[in-house]
Amino acid sequence: MQTWKKYIFLTFLASWLLLFFFGGDQLRHFAFFSRRKAEARRNWPHWTDQSLLKSFADPEELQSDGDISLLSPQERRAAWLSVYKNSRCRMETCFDFSRCKKNGFKVFTYPQEKDQPLSESYSKILTSIERSRYYTPNPKEACLFILSIDTLDRDHLSGQYVRNVDKKIHGFPLWNGGRNHLIFNLYSGTWPNYTEDLGFDIGQAILAKASFYTENFRPGFDISIPLFSKDHPQRGGERGWLYQDSIPPKKKYLLVFKGKRYLTGIGSGTRNALHHIHNGKDIVSLTTCKHGKDWEKHKDTRCDKDNIDYEKFDYQELLHNSTFCIIPRGRRLGSFRFLEALQAACIPVLLSDGWELPFAEAIDWGKAAVVGNERLLLQIPSTVRCIHPERVLAFQQQTQFLWDAYFSSVDKIVHTTLEIIKDRLLPHHSRSRFLWNTLPGGLLALPDFSTYLGDFPFYYLQHGSSPSEKFTAFIRATSPAGSPSQSILRLIQATSGSQYCAQILVLWSCEKPLPPSGKWPQTTVPLTIIQGRGKLSDRFFPYAAIQTDAVLSLDEHTSLSTSEVDFAFMVWRSFPERIVGFPSRSHFWDPEQRRWGYTSKWTNELSIVLTAAAFYHRYPAREKFGGTVGLAAFSPSPRSLPRYYHNLFTEYLPVGLRELVDGLAACEDILMNVLVAAVTKLPPIKVTQRKQHKETVPQQVGCKDGDVGTPPVGELSPSPLHSPPAKVKGMAGMAGGQRFSQQQDCLNQLVDWFGYMPLVSSQLRLDPVLFKDQVSILRKKYPRLEKP
Amino acid sequence: IMCASAKYNTRGPALIPRMKTKHRIYYITLFSIVLLGLIATGMFQFWPHSIESSSDWTVEKRSVHDVPVVKLPADSPIPERGDLSCRMHTCFDVYRCGFNPKNKIKVYIYSLKKYVDEYGTSVSNTISREYNELLTAISDSEFYTDDVNRACLFVPSIDVLNQNALRIKETAQALAQLSRWDRGTNHLLFNMLPGGPPDYNTALDVPRDRALLAGGGFSTWTYRQGYDVSIPVYSPLSAEVDLPEKGPGPRRYFILSSQMALHPEYRSELEALQAENGESVLILDKCTNLSDGVPPVRKCCHKNQVFDYPQVLQESTFCVVLRGARLGQAVLSDVLQAGCVPVIIADSYILPFSEVLDWKRASVVIPEEKMPEMYSILRSVPQRQIEEMQRQARWFWEAYFRSMKAIALATLQIINDRIYPYAAISYEEWNDPPAVKWSSVSNPLFLPLIPPQSQGFTAIVLTYDRVESLFRVITEVSKVPSLSKLLVVWNNQNKNPPEDSLWPKIRVPLKVVRTAENKLSNRFFPYDEIETEAVLAIDDDIIMLTSDELQFGYEVWREFPDRLVGYPGRLHLWDHEMNKWKYESEWTNEVSMVLTGAAFYHKYFNYLYTYKMPGDIKNWVDAHMNCEDIAMNFLVANVTGKSVIKVTPRKKFKCPECTAIDGLSLDQTHMVERSECINKFASVFGTMPLKVVEHRADPVLYKDDFPEKLKSFPNIGSL
């Protein structure tokens, strides 16, 4: 027994010693040794003579900067032109800026040749360009050229491969070595290497290509576009699938992938490894070996089981129910699943090394996707698990914003491409990354309007500023008399009584001459009378005179009190990006006629606020302005300042619709509301108003041709449904039914053009806090709102 | 550790029978083990000392001239030239960086050596002041490691900041013999003045194979996007001159050019501008007649007028930064420091830190060909934007240009962001000056989504023991069409909730959660049982709200999902006499808070309340058993920058059963306590986030002359 004890003692002793001996190193990390360890860190030494060290360059050297006389800037630039060509193209060497000087950024598409087959996607691209506000049919004024040859699919095994492109393009007199050309491509190269060779010489042309590899990408020159399918909608596009912001993300799966596993060839490295991270619970990574004709030749031991598992899950189901989606490279770097995941709010986890991400020049992908590393595939599960729920929420919302702003239709993809190029032409008038990556996005925040964030209605909170504390009242006078009517005088009185009113502008939209200045009332704020052109959408001219952010748009026949104006303005300051107004209308889906209806009946909902009495930010006013000036281009007007030519509205609306809007009185309200709703995705705001408006129909007789004025406020109109669709122009005293039919036409045409119904309904109205409460009227700030 | 001892133990029993017969061997073994142990312990005792003594060189004062000398044989290998196709995924070894919870790369610095060629002539100046500062900064940062085996990035101590000061071939040889060089993989070189006459390359000419280059003066042709880092050319004046930030407002000159060495072509273009626009354009040049002793770099002249440099830069709105022989110019740093908006005229130049900095917010870039249009281009910039750019320019200098430390850390952070992109610093953090960071709000629920009505809401009733009233609340709330679940938070630890059978039978699931402690915060806990976005917090005595009122409240919340939507509104006021905030519950025309006795809000705010509430507010609330609603109002307003929405005219939650015996005194202490909360919270938040508005939300047809039965929410209107 004694020896036993000895043995045990010995064993313990030995193990203790060994423990100390080998484990000492680790032990020192803890407790009493840690202090010493910290001291022991070998830092960069403090030299005794470090104050005597010489500077890396003496000041004169920094100031004189070499021998400058050697290099003449002009000669250098001329030399660049010959050196930096083709694969080393940059805007300053391969793009002829002078072409864009005179007419601005105009895009010309080559006429289509009859025998030239066009793929569905390419004809959509061409249509998008023709729908763009930059389109020109005249090559002489063009700055950018687009080929009519379909270059989307350059896989020469594909049926859509166009042969002899080289020969064709060199025959074009406009080709000019590809200068100022933009070439679109979705697929390049073929089995087995899928090189990025297009099979023809693009020369100095800008390449907008899907699956761009960084090494071939000419930074600041080429553009990486997303891969989209031929079913991608021309315009509008489906909305994203995120309907709720839940935290923590309440999805069934954390991370999913379902796709092909390449057994050999390019891209197989990553695809072959994906099954390793499958855990069957919250991470589902399914691969199938079945692809191509001879997959069985390369089949390995996993294939049969994998193929069975693969069939058990539905791709769409996974997409909808996962927080993260793996987007590995395929044979090429980009894949359809990238846009699919983006739409599904499934945060893309990119495993595609060297992929120049779509529109990376503008879009900050770090806010919407996890850019993984193919080599670190096995770390992906722990990486995504470590991402904080708040960040996941932000990621999800950003995917939806990006999808909706830049990717949901071919129009958006093409227009984004064009805007990026346009931004390069005038770097000092281009969008900052902030504008591109913040709602409502670069296509809706026009740098032509301003590059200052505080000028837009969207950024007050992020920018830490607030809208201006005054507004400009803008009254349109349409009365036929030679002197201002009683109602307009009352209106001027009421608005000028508001402490927030900075100035009043009266637009004299009559063909009768302006009343002499003595006929206008004396006001405390400046009153300016402008002679209008008599066009309906004159109202939305952002006359340079408007200095405030807020505009109160009024019609001569509107009747408002100072209280109402004050209160509405206070509300607008809380919602500067929306239309805030008094009388409202609503839209509805008419299942019988299978079209959208419009009603002025009193309903429990509203989606349109009439611009006859509404506050809005002058930014949307300018949006609309572009439209009217677009028209003015056909009938030149002295007021059309070149600065306002490029505008959102022009881009959004084709000529036909613009004419409709200009011809139809009732359309302007709808258009304004549709436009603002398309930008904000939010309903307008109705504020309370006294209910004793005179229900007089504005008398338009004799003022001018065209149907001006809005329906009387608060009108209970006949049902719009029974009136025949008539489009009568220039008739005085038009029947209400015709008006409604016009409004309905207008609404439906706008919806058709947008590709979806942008209007959003609201069930509320904003009233003063003590509105109609049983409390002394003296306590109330807006007592006049309640007077019967 | 565990593995070693375990192995020994398993071997133990096997040894026993053999040793029994061989006692002598056993004693010898025992003796030797004890001896070994003694030696080990001894070594262990002395070990740390030996480390300390060798590490004493951190404390030890040494001169840079005392560093070891390394002789480079003439035929020692030279690295390949820089590989233009290098990208992070091709030339960088990420495996060295590993996965670590802190998401920080580890940077190792080679110790300083002096390199000489075969003849003993030194290859370069040992180290410049700036490079020493840079290495010190890295060494003091959290990126630093002294363990070469754990390093992800290696920084040679060979100073290549200025290419003119070194011998290219020999420097390359010196690089190649670094212990972990391996073709330059994961090595980072800092260079500010690249190239040399006559053609002035825009990247360091020293062959460097795969090494990353942090270079000042890259052109778009030499810069490997996503691999190299573009850094500023440091201006030593930054350290010498203290220019306080100048406030916004008009400045004497509109455009100023301060560069001495301008190509005559540029100078004549600038002079043409000056001729056209007169006084507002100032072009400075070298002074010809300076008295001795004045450092020439600190003075510049226009005709015979002498100006102090860099102070003169503060007198101008825009300052021209033209390329010289090199693209990167130290003057950019001076210009930014002066808060002058740089006008950058250098085609193909990659601006410093352009990977993360949004230069459009701080500068105007004008193509060289457009120089003649410069004046009109700059005139078109709105005044308010100019002021913002000036502020931005100054901020860029303070954060990223000011010192070698700032430059070094920004460079490492950029590389770090590439390796751990999911933990990268955001655009806002890089670009927003502190003033904007402070005043701006980034709403966590920024996407304009109107949640589907079908989702419904979850009602959470916090209760202690008022079972009867609780049951009435449950019955009332269950009548609201959009209720999808009811959660009772049972806050009484001493009493069990009533039996299942006693609870009212309602059409939606009813769950009871028992809490561990009677805390008010329990009401705002993000329970897993909450499956909807919308939460209705409701007290167990709120029985007066009608189904219409609640349903309408939910509809309003759907239109404003990022706000608190409640019934009675309250206001905070500034008490001028007492100089502090005051709580107000009178009939006011304004609201800034809503009571959470019944309020709709997004579940996300429960999460924020529980985990992200600043300071000790949560504890304060639980200790005082009051003000949880004010805390919630503060939190939501602070994070969204938006006001609350008060719905319907309701002003009070008056419970019919309560009699007014408590009277005024209770009311007054209550008000004092609530005011105290506001002051406390405002000081914790460091600001008053609450927003005052004058509106409330009513149904569209509220009080309109319209048949009640056709209204969606007829039963609204009591106070």
Side-chain angles (χ1 to χ4, degrees), chain A residues 6-7 10-11 17 19-21 28 36 41-44 47-50 54-56 59-68 71-74 76-77 80 84 88 90 92 213 215 219 239 242-245 247 250 354 367 371 373 375 379 383 388 390-391 397-398 428 430-434 439 451-452 455 461-463 570 574-575 602 604 691 760 762-771 773 779 781-782, chain B residues 1 9 19 26-27 30 37 40 44 48 52 61-65 85 88-89 92 95 112 128-130 132 135-136 139 144 146 162 164 200 220-221 225 236 261-263 265-266 296-297 323-326 329 348 358 360 368 377 384-385 388 421-422 427-428 440-441 444-447 449 452 531 533 555 559-560 563 587-589 602 604 607 612 641 649 651 694-696 698 700 702 704-706 710 712-713:
Chain A
K6 272 182 189 165
Y7 280 132
L10 183 73
T11 316
L17 279 173
L19 180 109
F20 233 72
F21 195 72
R28 268 194 304 281
R36 263 185 210 160
R41 200 169 94 147
R42 292 151 162 261
N43 279 331
W44 183 254
W47 308 105
T48 47
D49 50 354
Q50 64 181 7
K54 282 202 334 198
S55 180
F56 76 110
E60 281 81 9
E61 187 183 356
L62 282 174
Q63 236 173 35
S64 61
D65 187 34
D67 189 0
I68 45 149
L71 302 137
S72 154
Q74 275 181 18
R76 186 195 63 235
R77 290 203 293 271
W80 277 4
Y84 297 117
R88 304 168 86 186
R90 296 294 183 271
E92 54 263 45
Y213 185 54
E215 213 178 291
R239 53 163 290 173
L242 186 74
Y243 288 99
Q244 54 171 306
D245 294 323
I247 188 158
K250 216 181 41 200
K367 289 187 165 183
V371 185
N373 189 319
R375 289 178 291 176
Q379 285 181 12
T383 303
H388 226 264
E390 284 164 292
R391 194 142 176 175
Q397 294 177 75
Q398 191 75 4
H428 51 276
S430 58
R431 300 162 181 87
S432 64
R433 270 182 99 78
F434 178 87
L439 278 156
T451 42
Y452 176 64
D455 282 342
L461 285 173
Q462 292 111 309
H463 184 244
M570 290 313 287
S574 288
F575 304 97
W602 282 19
N604 284 299
K691 289 295 181 285
V760 185
S762 168
Q763 301 197 51
L764 59 91
R765 181 184 81 195
L766 294 184
D767 296 336
V769 171
L770 298 179
F771 183 68
D773 284 351
R779 276 186 176 267
K781 186 169 174 190
Y782 302 104
Chain B
I1 313 161
N9 276 332
M19 286 200 178
Y26 157 64
Y27 278 115
L30 175 73
F44 181 72
E52 235 164 56
K61 298 291 177 189
R62 281 197 305 159
S63 157
V64 286
H65 301 292
S85 66
M88 290 307 267
H89 67 276
F92 194 85
Y95 295 120
L112 189 63
S128 66
R129 186 169 67 225
E130 283 79 10
N132 182 50
L135 295 180
T136 309
S139 157
Y144 181 69
D146 60 353
N162 184 354
N164 281 345
Y200 288 98
T220 138
W221 291 286
Q225 208 172 15
L262 287 182
H263 193 275
E265 259 179 47
Y266 290 140
V297 283
R323 64 165 294 160
R326 298 190 183 89
Q329 296 288 315
S348 83
D358 191 344
K360 280 177 189 165
E368 286 178 40
I377 289 174
R384 288 194 291 175
Q385 191 178 0
E388 208 163 88
Y422 40 87
Y427 170 92
E428 285 76 16
S440 70
V441 180
L445 302 169
F446 61 85
L447 193 72
L449 272 184
E531 287 174 294
E533 277 181 272
E555 297 294 344
E559 292 187 35
F560 301 100
R563 304 194 190 213
W587 294 73
T588 56
N589 285 289
H602 198 285
Y604 180 75
Y607 171 85
K612 302 280 153 139
K651 296 291 175 296
E694 297 184 347
H695 53 255
R696 71 167 201 239
D698 289 325
V700 175
Y702 174 71
D704 275 354
D705 185 14
F706 195 73
L710 294 178
S712 307
F713 308 100

Side-chain angles (χ1 to χ4, degrees), chain A residues 276-320:
Chain A
H276 287 298
I277 60 168
H278 177 81
N279 70 4
K281 289 183 217 117
D282 60 344
I283 297 178
V284 174
S285 181
L286 305 162
T287 51
T288 175
C289 303
K290 287 185 192 165
H291 58 91
K293 288 169 215 142
D294 54 350
W295 67 275
E296 278 177 319
K297 255 198 275 176
H298 305 286
K299 180 172 159 178
D300 59 18
T301 48
R302 288 195 63 89
C303 277
D304 287 327
K305 189 183 170 297
D306 283 354
N307 288 355
I308 292 168
D309 284 345
Y310 185 83
E311 302 300 331
K312 285 186 194 154
F313 290 86
D314 177 53
Y315 175 66
Q316 292 292 327
E317 201 256 345
L318 290 175
L319 207 55
H320 269 93

Side-chain angles (χ1 to χ4, degrees), chain A residues 539-554:
Chain A
R539 184 200 296 280
F540 303 111
F541 269 79
Y543 294 105
I546 300 180
Q547 297 296 326
T548 57
D549 290 334
V551 178
L552 169 61
S553 158
L554 293 167

Side-chain angles (χ1 to χ4, degrees), chain A residues 327-401:
Chain A
I327 314 294
R329 59 167 299 158
R331 296 296 191 193
R332 298 184 181 89
L333 293 168
S335 54
F336 292 123
R337 58 178 82 235
F338 179 64
L339 283 192
E340 287 163 358
L342 210 59
Q343 179 181 15
C346 187
I347 302 161
V349 176
L350 302 169
L351 289 177
S352 191
D353 287 353
W355 183 21
E356 175 70 27
L357 296 178
F359 303 135
E361 191 173 336
I363 294 176
D364 185 354
W365 282 105
K367 289 187 165 183
V370 178
V371 185
N373 189 319
E374 283 184 51
R375 289 178 291 176
L376 302 179
L377 167 71
L378 299 183
Q379 285 181 12
I380 293 292
S382 40
T383 303
V384 297
R385 275 186 218 284
C386 287
I387 297 177
H388 226 264
E390 284 164 292
R391 194 142 176 175
V392 170
L393 186 64
F395 271 140
Q396 284 176 332
Q397 294 177 75
Q398 191 75 4
T399 60
Q400 299 297 283
F401 155 57

